[in-house]
Amino acid sequence: MTWNEDGGRLPEEFLTPGTSSFTDFLAAHRPELLSTRRVLPDGVAAAPDRVPHGTTILALTFRDGVLIAGDRRATMGNLIAQRDLEKVHPADDHTAVAFAGTVGLALDLVKLYQVELTHFEKIEGVAMTLDGKARRLAGMIRQNLGQAMQGLAVVPLLTGYDAAAPEGREGRIFSFDVAGGLYEKTDFHAEGSGSPYARGALKKLFRPGMDRREAALAALQALYDAADDDSATGGPDLNRRIFPIVSVITEDGFERLPEPETEALSRDMVEQRGNRPDGPNAAP
């Protein structure tokens, strides 16, 4: 017989063999805890100026793996709701997820996804493959489709280091649409309101085989360009010392670049922009 910490017997659902998906477990036994499945009443839609939204996120591969980054701004209509939002999070040791869209739902989704991967590994005894992680996240996004159609969309970006991939392609990037469509991207990608400008900058700056510093600078340049043309994207805030979040995933695992490193790179970039406001030219 199994007992909980209070000395009482665990509910029957904890003792019954079932799925390795924590999300499916909640859906079967405590569906009210799944914020991604709550739909607004008929005829009700979310007002875009009343719900904080996260904006630009991006990822690119580099010599040792993959880099993922995001600006820090959240907006409500024409208002800045938050200046220091964290949009990039580790999902497990070799996977990271960033989000654009409705902040409250996105943060819940990230936390649920982290538990989903941990639960699978504990139940199955092995870690999920990177392709499996991408499909699992796609399924979770699909569950939010009802709310997405009412204006509460979440658009994540998934990156990971895949030791089973061919040499030189271990860093992988996956994007999603609001219906749970799954797309693997090559080299780089961006999501969010500033993504067209970020992708344009990355198209100019990306080159295979970049080292970590070069990749981080390319990401910061792309976020700067996005902030230059998209009011919902925040660039480096030198006065408040708020800088984009930049993280890398390599064979050694997930690492968020230390704040002093990100600050130094951001200040160097802003100084360079003083001489060349439109940013660096494409690499020859």
Side-chain angles (χ1 to χ4, degrees), residues 267-284:
R267 290 186 182 276
D268 287 348
M269 178 196 65
V270 172
E271 184 177 350
Q272 293 169 14
R273 289 281 182 145
N275 300 320
R276 187 186 288 273
D278 293 331
N281 292 327

Side-chain angles (χ1 to χ4, degrees), residues 229-272:
D229 288 301
D230 173 43
S231 62
T233 302
D237 191 333
L238 303 184
N239 293 326
R240 294 184 177 89
R241 298 187 65 189
I242 299 174
F243 304 98
I245 293 176
V246 181
S247 298
V248 296
I249 311 170
T250 66
E251 184 179 9
D252 296 328
F254 174 91
E255 179 190 358
R256 175 170 166 171
L257 267 62
E259 189 78 12
E261 182 177 353
T262 307
E263 178 177 353
L265 291 172
S266 297
R267 290 186 182 276
D268 287 348
M269 178 196 65
V270 172
E271 184 177 350
Q272 293 169 14

Side-chain angles (χ1 to χ4, degrees), residues 4 59 70 74 80 84 95 112 181-182 193 197 224 234 246 257 264 271 279:
N4 62 23
I80 298 175
D84 60 352
T95 316
L112 183 59
L182 170 62
S193 60
Y197 314 108
Y224 190 102
V246 181
L257 267 62
E271 184 177 350

Side-chain angles (χ1 to χ4, degrees), residues 131 134-135 138 142 174-177 180-184:
D131 288 299
R135 288 192 296 269
R142 192 172 300 115
F174 299 90
S175 71
F176 308 83
D177 60 33
L182 170 62
Y183 314 94
E184 183 165 5

